[in-house]
Amino acid sequence: MKDAATPVLLEVRDLRTYFHTFSGTVRAVNGVSFEIGQGEVMGLVGESGGGKSVVGFSILGLIDSPGRIEGGEILLEGRDLVTAGEDHLRDVRGREISMVFQDPMTSLNPLHTVGRQMDEVLRLHSDLRADTRHRACVEMLESVGISRAAERLKAYPHQFSGGMRQRVVIAIAMLANPKLIIADEPTTALDVTIQSQILKLMRAQIADKGASMILITHDLAVVSEMADHITVLYCGNVVERGRTRDLIENPAHPYTRGLIDSIPDTSERLDRLNQIPGSVPDIRTLPAGCNFRDRCPRAQALCATEEPVLAPQHNGLMAACHFPLQPGERP
Amino acid sequence: MFGYLIKRLIQMLLVLWVVSVIVFLMMSFTGDPVFMVVPIDATDAEIAQARRLLGLYDSLLVQYWKFITSLVQGDFGRSYVFRQPAMTLILERMPATVEMVLVAMVLAVVVAIPLGVYAGANPNGRLSRIIMSSSLLGISLPGFWVGMVLIYLFAVNWGVFPSSGRGDTAEVFGLRVSLLTWDGWHHIALPAITLSLGTMAILLRMTRAGMMEVSRQDYMKFARAKGATRRDVLYKHGLKNALIPVVTIFGLQLGDLIAFATITETIFSWPGMGKLLIDSIYRADRPVIVVYLMLVALIFVVINFLVDIVYTLIDPRITLK
């Protein structure tokens, strides 16, 4: 997956996170595996309800009841986080792995100053003195492009715009120099004009610190600009993964093809946007066979009986499909 | 801020005026106070004389005018029964009531907040269910019954607490305070517990509801993603956000208990102002009742004002306008 030269930072093996609800067990993440090398950006892509966010929260051990990690391993530099205790996980959260949430309007505590919320990270994860921490917060806030930082530390979140708040959230995420940032749809709630600013900022920050990133999004256009590798999730399973360029140009899985084709192409006039027919099935009652077959133009009898497994395809891609696309082929 | 204070002051005067009208009208339609001041064997002439002295022959409007003009001059009328200024009578007894209510409120908060946070953070836990069922008892059991049960158990059966009275007090700045003597603590325990149970249950349920609401917010998960302990997430990030409705109820309950601790004071013979109110109602001692109710209105207005200020301390988005 990753380049042979870069050492592995995080390896997720056969992760299974289930939610035991009244109406049945939701297998939100059902056997997901991937790995990320140091300094790499991995895009985690799929439709809503595909289990992308649950993967992110599973890595941080933040799955709340009725959810549970039922199996698999999450190895951060070789140490398993699934079996680690809460104390160890607290040390990991914020210091080694941090998270950027989707909606900056709700991810900051409205009753605490921005400064206090930044300082909290350093208080938890360092032995620095108060004045040193304050200086670090000012520098961090400046580095995410907020002017008059010392003054702004005393302000409350409601005194910032959405884009500014997401900069604050990024500043908090970067503050303790984590090795991995999990960004869960970091630009979805922002104005289009702000989105590219925030993405540029995140790319600059992780490049600067040598950190890795998991970029969770439904927006293939965003990942294709940002990510080194892409993992595509469908119904809690990895259906395809590979290098960004190979996967975008010649995907092997019809689902990935469908996602790419739904990006509007501004160079040609269309009467209708392309879309994948149907919608994500109810994952409480998944039938046997391939989960995508009802929406797939290439589905055949085999797809209804046998679940495809990830297998090597052209250009080093991995895809779980009985009838994968060849380069240049259309479904 | 200054404009706000002026606005609040005008509001307060308006409330007090409306209360004075209501109370005055209510009192003039209930009972004839003249029989409280004349001896049983008084002649008709003596009764008429007393009526004239009390000004009861004037029209209602004139009576109210006299009442309100002396009120603004600081004359709140004299008790028919005690022949003392009504205000003095009430103020003498107020510290005992306020002291008991404060102990009850502190007790209620100290128990309700942690249990409410726990029950809100673990809504399906066994302990949470026990807490919530007990709080239903706290709301539905009447104070007079709880008081009697406590007296039966702790005073009669086991003899660990006295059943009535205020006990020894120490004097601070001319106020008699029970809390400075061991005997005083002994005496205040049962009435304060009785008084606190209802408020405790309500505050507990408000805290739990608030915490359940807040627990779903993104900033709680974000705080955990920063590596904060569960305790810090609940108390530093969660509780503060759940506190606004709790503070509102706290203020209302505080006023309510100070004004109407009557039943508890009666059961435990606590020499507070609630007992004075009930006695004055029995004796149709109009001036005392009127001043009492006006004072209660004032207390509520002041507490509401303080609650508004506390809002702004909790939530920076709230400003006083």
Side-chain angles (χ1 to χ4, degrees):
Chain A
M1 199 63 272
K2 56 168 197 68
D3 295 325
T6 40
V8 178
L9 175 69
L10 181 86
E11 186 178 357
V12 173
R13 279 194 206 143
D14 197 27
L15 178 68
R16 290 164 196 276
T17 306
Y18 297 169
F19 289 80
H20 303 280
T21 66
F22 288 119
S23 50
T25 298
V26 178
R27 295 178 162 84
V29 175
N30 199 11
V32 165
S33 304
F34 56 80
E35 58 188 52
I36 303 165
Q38 275 172 19
E40 284 183 338
V41 176
M42 188 195 84
L44 196 57
V45 181
E47 282 167 281
S48 307
K52 300 167 303 202
S53 297
V54 179
V55 171
F57 286 123
S58 298
I59 294 172
L60 279 174
L62 288 178
I63 298 295
D64 286 321
S65 166
R68 234 173 77 87
I69 297 181
E70 297 287 339
E73 289 172 309
I74 299 169
L75 302 169
L76 178 68
E77 295 181 318
R79 290 164 301 160
D80 188 7
L81 298 182
V82 173
T83 52
E86 178 67 16
D87 284 347
H88 179 67
L89 281 175
R90 264 210 315 276
D91 283 342
V92 170
R93 291 180 201 136
R95 177 155 74 188
E96 300 192 47
I97 306 177
S98 65
M99 197 152 176
V100 174
F101 284 30
Q102 173 171 0
D103 190 351
M105 304 310 257
T106 56
S107 48
L108 293 172
N109 189 330
L111 306 188
H112 290 173
T113 60
V114 164
R116 179 169 169 187
Q117 298 189 55
M118 292 183 74
D119 188 58
E120 188 177 18
V121 178
L122 292 178
R123 253 196 353 250
L124 287 164
H125 298 302
S126 76
D127 303 319
L128 300 175
R129 284 176 27 197
D131 53 337
T132 320
R133 295 202 306 266
H134 179 76
R135 258 202 312 280
C137 290
V138 171
E139 273 168 26
M140 192 68 232
L141 210 53
E142 274 168 355
S143 83
V144 296
I146 292 180
S147 56
R148 296 184 290 124
E151 209 175 306
R152 296 291 184 83
L153 282 179
K154 294 182 203 124
Y156 288 92
H158 71 276
Q159 294 160 314
F160 288 75
S161 67
M164 292 292 242
R165 286 191 215 187
Q166 197 63 313
R167 286 170 190 269
V168 171
V169 171
I170 292 166
I172 290 174
M174 299 302 302
L175 203 49
N177 283 324
K179 294 168 182 152
L180 176 66
I181 319 287
I182 301 172
D184 188 358
E185 307 259 9
T187 56
T188 308
L190 299 175
D191 287 349
V192 185
T193 48
I194 311 288
Q195 286 186 4
S196 69
Q197 287 178 22
I198 293 292
L199 289 173
K200 272 189 200 128
L201 170 68
M202 296 190 71
R203 190 156 49 185
Q205 285 285 340
I206 55 167
D208 188 38
K209 303 273 165 61
S212 310
M213 177 158 81
I214 298 178
L215 181 62
I216 299 174
T217 179
H218 62 273
D219 190 343
L220 264 177
V222 167
V223 273
S224 63
E225 273 180 49
M226 296 275 293
D228 303 309
H229 302 283
I230 293 178
T231 301
V232 183
L233 285 187
Y234 187 73
C235 291
N237 288 301
V238 176
V239 292
E240 181 162 16
R241 64 186 193 206
R243 277 174 206 282
T244 301
R245 203 190 151 110
D246 301 326
L247 188 135
I248 296 287
E249 283 177 0
N250 290 303
H253 200 286
Y255 178 62
T256 315
R257 179 84 258 166
L259 285 180
I260 294 166
D261 287 346
S262 353
I263 304 173
D265 185 348
T266 46
S267 64
E268 51 185 297
R269 257 192 73 85
L270 285 175
D271 292 330
R272 249 183 104 77
L273 290 176
N274 288 314
Q275 59 173 20
I276 305 175
S279 57
V280 181
D282 185 344
I283 49 181
R284 282 166 301 193
T285 52
L286 285 180
C290 175
N291 296 326
F292 186 59
R293 66 165 192 275
D294 289 342
R295 307 170 72 187
C296 182
R298 294 166 73 88
Q300 299 184 25
L302 176 64
C303 303
T305 51
E306 205 167 311
E307 192 178 344
V309 291
L310 272 183
Q313 312 291 341
H314 60 81
N315 290 331
L317 294 176
M318 299 284 283
C321 183
H322 294 305
F323 307 101
L325 296 160
Q326 295 310 311
E329 191 184 3
R330 307 293 297 186
Chain B
M1 185 65 199
F2 183 71
Y4 171 79
L5 281 178
I6 297 287
K7 210 167 107 188
R8 283 310 286 250
L9 203 69
I10 295 171
Q11 254 175 29
M12 185 178 88
L13 291 175
L14 214 65
V15 167
L16 288 178
W17 175 68
V18 170
V19 169
S20 81
V21 171
I22 294 172
V23 168
F24 186 85
L25 283 179
M26 247 166 46
M27 295 323 304
S28 38
F29 293 134
T30 53
D32 192 343
V34 84
F35 295 107
M36 304 308 302
V37 292
V38 297
I40 296 174
D41 53 356
T43 63
D44 282 356
E46 281 167 337
I47 291 175
Q49 162 83 2
R51 264 217 173 98
R52 200 161 26 255
L53 277 174
L54 291 177
L56 295 177
Y57 281 125
D58 298 331
S59 73
L60 264 188
L61 219 57
V62 173
Q63 282 189 48
Y64 179 72
W65 177 250
K66 282 184 182 165
F67 163 71
I68 203 82
T69 44
S70 53
L71 205 68
V72 293
Q73 288 163 25
D75 176 7
F76 298 94
R78 296 173 87 83
S79 160
Y80 297 154
V81 180
F82 296 93
R83 319 236 173 242
Q84 277 181 37
M87 196 52 133
T88 314
L89 278 174
I90 294 170
L91 289 183
E92 262 174 12
R93 287 161 177 78
M94 201 158 126
T97 298
V98 169
E99 189 176 32
M100 178 177 72
V101 168
L102 287 185
V103 172
M105 290 306 280
V106 169
L107 186 66
V109 167
V110 166
V111 174
I113 299 286
L115 291 185
V117 170
Y118 179 87
N122 312 284
N124 297 317
R126 182 185 291 268
L127 187 57
S128 299
R129 286 173 207 274
I130 296 174
I131 291 171
M132 293 316 288
S133 318
S134 317
S135 79
L136 267 186
L137 285 183
I139 286 179
S140 45
L141 292 181
F144 66 87
W145 185 82
V146 173
M148 288 187 317
V149 169
L150 289 183
I151 288 177
Y152 175 74
L153 291 178
F154 290 95
V156 179
N157 253 10
W158 300 324
V160 281
F161 291 115
S163 68
S164 70
R166 198 178 174 192
D168 297 339
T169 53
E171 198 152 307
V172 184
F173 304 121
L175 287 177
R176 300 200 305 135
V177 183
S178 302
L179 296 181
L180 295 177
T181 67
W182 180 239
D183 189 53
W185 273 104
H186 246 78
H187 279 82
I188 212 169
L190 291 188
I193 291 170
T194 307
L195 206 55
S196 72
L197 289 181
T199 305
M200 195 184 285
I202 296 171
L203 291 181
L204 195 161
R205 297 183 81 87
M206 298 298 298
T207 308
R208 168 180 176 266
M211 286 302 290
M212 286 178 72
E213 176 69 31
V214 164
S215 295
R216 285 193 288 271
Q217 302 298 316
D218 278 353
Y219 54 76
M220 296 288 276
K221 209 152 202 179
F222 190 58
R224 283 172 69 197
K226 284 199 255 177
T229 62
R230 196 168 155 72
R231 195 191 155 82
D232 272 7
V233 173
L234 286 179
Y235 280 89
K236 289 190 183 159
H237 291 276
L239 181 57
K240 203 175 177 193
N241 277 286
L243 222 47
I244 291 279
V246 177
V247 169
T248 311
I249 297 293
F250 178 90
L252 290 176
Q253 287 292 118
L254 180 62
D256 199 50
L257 291 194
I258 292 176
F260 308 112
T262 316
I263 294 171
T264 309
E265 289 185 358
T266 307
I267 294 169
F268 290 95
S269 304
W270 189 260
M273 58 182 202
K275 214 165 162 305
L276 175 70
L277 175 67
I278 209 84
D279 292 345
S280 302
I281 290 173
Y282 281 138
R283 298 173 189 141
D285 197 348
R286 238 186 236 180
V288 177
I289 302 172
V290 171
V291 175
Y292 190 96
L293 294 181
M294 302 267 309
L295 195 67
V296 164
L298 182 69
I299 288 173
F300 269 101
V301 170
V302 170
I303 287 177
N304 266 323
F305 172 66
L306 293 177
V307 164
D308 279 2
I309 289 181
V310 172
Y311 285 170
T312 65
L313 297 180
I314 293 174
D315 192 335
R317 291 166 298 183
I318 299 175
T319 50
L320 299 178
K321 270 195 225 98

